[in-house]
Amino acid sequence: MSNDTVYIDRFLEMMAAEGGASQNTLSAYRSDLEQASSFAKGKLADSDRDALQNAASAWSDLKNNSVSRKSSSLRRFFGFLVEEGFRQDDPSDALPRPGGQRSLPRVLSHDEIARLFETIETRLASQQIKPNDARLSALIELLYGSGLRASELVSLPRKSVMVDRPFLIIRGKGGKERLVPISDRARSAVKRWSDFVDADEKYLFPSRTGHISRIRLFQIIKDLAVKSDISPAKISPHVLRHAFATHLLEGGADLRALQTLLGHSDISTTQIYTHVDSARLVELVNNRHPLSRRNLTR
């Protein structure tokens, strides 16, 4: 079994669980990726920009819609590889874009985030807190408050959050480590949940076979969305991670800081996952540009 086969299977599992992709969509992704892998002699995941450009040259006789779909499949695939730490760079910007610019990722508004936490706070207000509610609080605080990847979150060691330490040490794929700040309220939520976890457990969010799966995390978040009167189609672990980055950017964080927090090796990846609305960009130009403070009407 080639590495491509493993990576493609994991990618499709992610698209089914976190993206809610239909069976037809998954079949289309698999077809596009397996064709590209065959062209790359089973080394698609290791392809560089030149290799992808060569692969795209075989699409010259296809209609724009087909080229756009294939490019989109490969971009998502390489975005997944970078996001999960399987490679350091994303060469997919070398692919053609016949359909125009890439659409912005989904993101939740501040109001929608507030509704999620209101639902959690209502559950925690009961005299006897249920274990599942304590776990839910810890999961969401870490996802939105620290921008963890789903895979990083579910596999956190039980002792990874310390009462006297305002950060996590996250070890990604390939042994790469990064420091992730953790808020006081997130530490409090984790402490509350830890009281329900046996001291001998290896993971902070254990299951019968190890730790909870990404699919289970996805289901938990979808259920929270429904109870918060938010369309479950709008939310996933990655959407909360993206909301973390976007809302920090809106609050004044710079891309380099976000790159560090998100664990991106390439700043271009950070630019894809963080965006601001056009109204804020206009406000920045009008209020922050040096010429905005000069009277040019004299």
Side-chain angles (χ1 to χ4, degrees):
M1 180 182 294
S2 70
N3 283 344
D4 279 353
T5 300
V6 174
Y7 290 140
I8 289 172
D9 286 344
R10 291 191 181 185
F11 168 71
L12 295 177
E13 177 185 333
M14 182 277 294
M15 289 299 298
E18 297 184 16
S22 68
Q23 192 58 49
N24 287 341
T25 298
L26 295 175
S27 295
Y29 277 129
R30 182 177 291 280
S31 175
D32 290 338
L33 294 174
E34 288 181 347
Q35 287 179 12
S37 176
S38 176
F39 186 88
K41 296 181 173 26
K43 296 184 178 180
L44 174 64
D46 299 321
S47 295
D48 56 17
R49 290 173 52 86
D50 291 340
L52 290 186
Q53 287 177 337
N54 288 336
S57 66
W59 305 340
S60 58
D61 294 334
L62 300 178
K63 294 182 179 179
N64 281 351
N65 286 345
S66 296
V67 174
S68 179
R69 192 200 72 235
K70 289 180 179 294
S71 291
S72 177
S73 297
L74 289 176
R75 285 196 186 91
R76 284 179 176 267
F77 178 65
F78 281 100
F80 163 79
L81 293 178
V82 172
E83 185 73 11
E84 293 300 308
F86 294 124
R87 63 178 293 158
Q88 301 300 311
D89 64 310
D90 183 350
S92 64
D93 59 349
L95 294 167
R97 296 177 180 268
Q101 294 298 314
R102 179 180 179 177
S103 60
L104 291 173
R106 291 173 293 171
V107 66
L108 296 176
S109 68
H110 290 276
D111 176 67
E112 289 169 324
I113 290 291
R115 280 151 57 189
L116 294 177
F117 282 101
E118 286 170 3
T119 299
I120 294 172
E121 289 165 4
T122 298
R123 293 191 187 187
L124 296 177
S126 62
Q127 292 184 344
Q128 187 171 359
I129 298 175
K130 297 178 180 179
N132 283 350
D133 293 337
R135 183 183 66 176
L136 174 64
S137 175
L139 288 169
I140 302 302
E141 288 285 356
L142 290 171
L143 270 178
Y144 176 67
S146 298
L148 299 183
R149 298 180 175 95
S151 56
E152 294 169 342
L153 176 62
V154 297
S155 61
L156 278 177
R158 187 185 185 282
K159 297 181 179 180
S160 58
V161 181
M162 308 297 290
V163 175
D164 59 345
R165 193 171 65 186
F167 57 85
L168 295 169
I169 299 178
I170 300 297
R171 186 183 298 274
K173 300 293 191 303
K176 185 175 67 173
E177 293 184 343
R178 76 180 191 276
L179 291 180
V180 177
I182 179 172
S183 67
D184 290 341
R185 58 179 289 160
R187 278 187 290 167
S188 176
V190 170
K191 173 60 173 64
R192 184 192 301 117
W193 162 241
S194 295
D195 291 341
F196 293 100
V197 181
D198 191 285
D200 295 330
E201 288 286 358
K202 178 181 178 180
Y203 297 105
L204 180 60
F205 302 104
S207 70
R208 294 176 181 174
T209 58
H211 56 70
I212 65 171
S213 68
R214 290 170 47 168
I215 294 176
R216 181 60 188 138
L217 175 63
F218 176 82
Q219 294 169 339
I220 290 170
I221 291 174
K222 291 287 187 182
D223 181 67
L224 174 62
V226 171
K227 290 180 170 58
S228 303
D229 197 26
I230 297 172
S231 170
K234 293 186 64 175
I235 192 170
S236 72
H238 186 72
V239 169
L240 285 172
R241 173 173 157 87
H242 182 66
F244 160 81
T246 303
H247 294 166
L248 273 181
L249 190 66
E250 291 174 349
D254 61 78
L255 284 178
R256 287 297 179 184
L258 287 176
Q259 179 185 6
T260 300
L261 292 171
L262 294 171
H264 291 160
S265 299
D266 191 334
I267 190 66
S268 65
T269 306
T270 311
Q271 292 169 332
I272 292 173
Y273 286 100
T274 58
H275 68 277
V276 293
D277 57 56
S278 58
R280 181 174 180 272
L281 292 177
V282 172
E283 180 184 1
L284 283 174
V285 171
N286 288 335
N287 297 332
R288 301 295 181 86
H289 194 282
L291 289 179
S292 67
R293 296 188 290 273
R294 296 178 63 90
N295 185 357
L296 301 181
T297 60
R298 291 180 298 177

